[in-house]
Amino acid sequence: MDEKIESFDTSSKNFIETMEQLVSNDKTIRENALPKLSEYLKYSYKNNIELYQKISRSLFYFFFNTDKPNYQLSMAKLISSLIFIKENKILIPNHEIWIYTFLSEFEKKFKSIDVLRLDKYIMLIDQVISTYLVACLENKKFNSIINLINYFSREIKNNSNSYNFTFESNKIKIINRFINILFDKKIEIKNKTDFISDKKNGFVLFIKIFLEFYLAISDKREIEFFNKNILDNLLNIISNIKKENSNSELINNIKKEIEIFFEKNKNNMIKSKFSEIDFFIKNLNNENYQKEENIKNEIIDPVNDYIMNKKYKQK
């Protein structure tokens, strides 16, 4: 499956017909076209990005026509599964290029989405990224998990003029959930323990790259959301690990990376970030750290808050 094929002809009759079928007003035609995409994604082409861009744009309009929550969710799951070769859960050869191109094309169109459809597109992005992260974990593609977080950080730095709060906030929510999955013993996923302990591309590097993402964000709402969710969540997880006395090396490595990050960037941090990271480091040694209920109750989900405000303004 990794064999290189010269180039894919995106002007071919069959490909154009498939793209047209994806955006058809006929539900049956659209649904029948979706599985055909797997044939275009399972090989490596010289013009992968061009191919993936055209597929992603068609998928955007494919999803535009979905209605009713249960149907939208089932279609979102099918789109998310395009990352695999058929049903065997093996990732397509260019999975990183595919996920970056897909997210990039959707982000370009995010500001144009009307409020009545916004929540379903948020759900789709949630499904796609979450499926991808777990797939990388199960396929032991730890470097791809790290690279995705790196991509998030680069996108904020490179696209500051086209920054979309709703789109970026959803990424933080998804990553926070992924962190919980890693440390939730009730959720069984292959290679979780290996990723957490991997010294080259594991959880410690994940945290390091994620802090770079944190440094890149500048929207006050997003910073507040990060402070009250991600950092607090990490402290709770670390506190639980300490109580179990299960992985002192991991704790020490996380602490080391965060302290290095803090020292390196503290002069460039705005006050809200500085105080939160400082607070975080001081509480790393607190085995009985508990999230305060009054803080918990104040947490705002920026995505839902944005949707509700937009709906209210439209009335």
Side-chain angles (χ1 to χ4, degrees):
M1 289 299 176
D2 287 319
E3 60 184 286
K4 269 281 182 188
I5 296 176
E6 285 299 307
S7 269
F8 183 85
D9 183 8
T10 56
S11 64
S12 69
K13 183 181 178 182
N14 286 342
F15 180 74
I16 291 173
E17 283 181 354
T18 302
M19 296 302 101
E20 289 174 347
Q21 288 165 1
L22 280 173
V23 299
S24 169
N25 289 324
D26 188 307
K27 180 179 175 182
T28 303
I29 293 174
R30 291 198 308 270
E31 289 180 356
N32 290 338
L34 193 59
K36 297 177 185 178
L37 297 181
S38 295
E39 289 300 309
Y40 303 130
L41 296 172
K42 72 178 183 181
Y43 296 111
S44 293
Y45 300 100
K46 285 188 176 180
N47 62 336
N48 271 122
I49 294 178
E50 178 196 356
L51 172 64
Y52 293 171
Q53 283 175 334
K54 292 189 175 184
I55 292 174
S56 297
R57 289 167 196 159
S58 294
L59 283 173
F60 181 89
Y61 292 109
F62 168 92
F63 207 66
F64 185 88
N65 288 315
T66 59
D67 55 7
K68 297 183 181 179
N70 288 339
Y71 180 69
Q72 290 164 1
L73 179 59
S74 65
M75 292 299 103
K77 288 179 178 179
L78 285 176
I79 291 171
S80 301
S81 69
L82 291 171
I83 201 70
F84 302 114
I85 297 174
K86 295 185 179 179
E87 299 295 323
N88 56 16
K89 298 294 183 182
I90 296 174
L91 289 164
I92 58 175
N94 290 294
H95 55 273
E96 287 193 16
I97 299 175
W98 164 247
I99 197 76
Y100 302 157
T101 306
F102 179 90
L103 292 174
S104 177
E105 290 303 313
F106 271 66
E107 187 160 16
K108 288 175 188 175
K109 297 182 180 297
F110 227 74
K111 285 186 178 179
S112 65
I113 301 172
D114 63 273
V115 68
L116 296 176
R117 291 183 173 88
L118 187 61
D119 50 354
K120 76 174 183 181
Y121 276 103
I122 290 170
M123 180 271 292
L124 172 61
I125 297 300
D126 189 322
Q127 282 289 324
V128 169
I129 297 177
S130 298
T131 300
Y132 180 73
L133 287 170
V134 172
C136 289
L137 200 61
E138 292 183 329
N139 283 271
K140 222 164 186 177
K141 300 286 186 182
F142 299 160
N143 61 318
S144 293
I145 296 173
I146 302 300
N147 290 342
L148 181 64
I149 311 304
N150 238 332
Y151 167 79
F152 289 165
S153 182
R154 287 197 312 272
E155 282 296 289
I156 287 185
K157 292 174 184 175
N158 297 336
N159 300 319
S160 56
N161 293 331
S162 58
Y163 171 83
N164 187 288
F165 169 68
T166 312
F167 196 84
E168 298 302 334
S169 297
N170 202 41
K171 292 176 185 175
I172 294 178
K173 286 177 65 180
I174 296 164
I175 295 169
N176 196 32
R177 192 185 315 123
F178 179 68
I179 293 171
N180 285 333
I181 287 172
L182 287 174
F183 291 94
D184 190 335
K185 293 182 179 180
K186 296 176 183 176
I187 301 174
E188 294 184 8
I189 299 176
K190 277 169 47 180
N191 304 319
K192 275 196 341 182
T193 306
D194 290 344
F195 175 71
I196 291 169
S197 59
D198 190 294
K199 293 180 179 178
K200 185 178 179 181
N201 286 304
F203 187 68
V204 174
L205 181 58
F206 176 90
I207 293 299
K208 181 180 178 182
I209 300 299
F210 199 28
L211 286 170
E212 293 293 334
F213 175 58
Y214 176 55
L215 194 64
I217 61 178
S218 58
D219 190 293
K220 290 182 179 179
R221 298 163 297 175
E222 197 168 341
I223 292 169
E224 181 182 2
F225 183 66
F226 195 107
N227 290 344
K228 290 184 177 179
N229 285 263
I230 304 293
L231 295 180
D232 241 351
N233 190 29
L234 280 172
L235 282 174
N236 276 321
I237 288 170
I238 290 168
S239 174
N240 290 333
I241 294 172
K242 282 183 176 181
K243 287 175 184 176
E244 296 168 1
N245 198 25
S246 57
N247 202 330
S248 57
E249 184 182 3
L250 174 67
I251 301 299
N252 291 333
N253 288 336
I254 290 174
K255 183 179 178 182
K256 181 181 176 182
E257 284 298 338
I258 292 173
E259 286 174 342
I260 291 171
F261 170 82
F262 184 64
E263 283 301 313
K264 180 182 174 182
N265 298 292
K266 64 182 181 181
N267 293 329
N268 300 319
M269 284 185 192
I270 62 173
K271 187 176 179 181
S272 59
K273 288 184 183 179
F274 180 95
S275 59
E276 286 294 334
I277 296 291
D278 185 47
F279 175 82
F280 184 92
I281 292 171
K282 287 175 181 175
N283 277 278
L284 275 173
N285 296 316
N286 184 357
E287 292 185 15
N288 296 310
Y289 176 79
Q290 289 293 327
K291 194 173 192 176
E292 295 179 26
E293 285 303 313
N294 62 330
I295 293 177
K296 185 176 180 181
N297 291 335
E298 290 172 6
I299 291 176
I300 297 171
D301 179 337
V303 177
N304 289 336
D305 186 53
Y306 175 85
I307 293 170
M308 292 307 296
N309 284 338
K310 199 167 181 181
K311 282 180 179 175
Y312 177 76
K313 287 174 184 177
Q314 283 194 350
K315 286 183 179 180

